[in-house]
Amino acid sequence: MGAVERNGYRFEPEFSVIHQNGAIHVYEKGKFIEEIKFVFNGEFPEHDQIEEIIDQYIEKK
C-alpha cells in the first residue's frame, strides 16, 4: 500500500515482515508530524487495518 492523502494529511505506511510491526508516518504540508506504530500478523498488514488506523487518527484531530 502506498501513501494515502486525506484531510490535508499524508500517511506513509512502512512495515517489517520479520518483526511483524509497522508504522505510519504522518505529514502535513510536507512536514513530518508523528509516527503511529502498529503490529500485524501474516506476510503484510491488511489494507483495512491501515485504513482503520488512519480513520481513527483523523477522528482524533
Side-chain angles (χ1 to χ4, degrees):
M1 175 179 199
V4 174
E5 294 196 30
R6 196 176 300 157
N7 287 30
Y9 295 100
R10 180 176 175 91
F11 300 91
E12 297 183 0
E14 295 182 357
F15 61 91
S16 168
V17 174
I18 294 170
H19 297 290
Q20 296 286 285
N21 62 20
I24 299 173
H25 297 147
V26 183
Y27 296 86
E28 184 177 29
K29 298 179 184 173
K31 181 179 176 189
F32 177 76
I33 303 295
E34 67 180 290
E35 177 180 78
I36 306 167
K37 295 182 180 185
F38 65 92
V39 296
F40 65 94
N41 294 310
E43 294 183 26
F44 53 87
E46 296 291 325
H47 179 76
D48 290 344
Q49 179 185 9
I50 293 173
E51 287 290 332
E52 184 176 327
I53 293 168
I54 292 171
D55 288 344
Q56 289 174 359
Y57 181 86
I58 290 173
E59 286 177 18
K60 285 191 320 186
K61 300 293 174 177

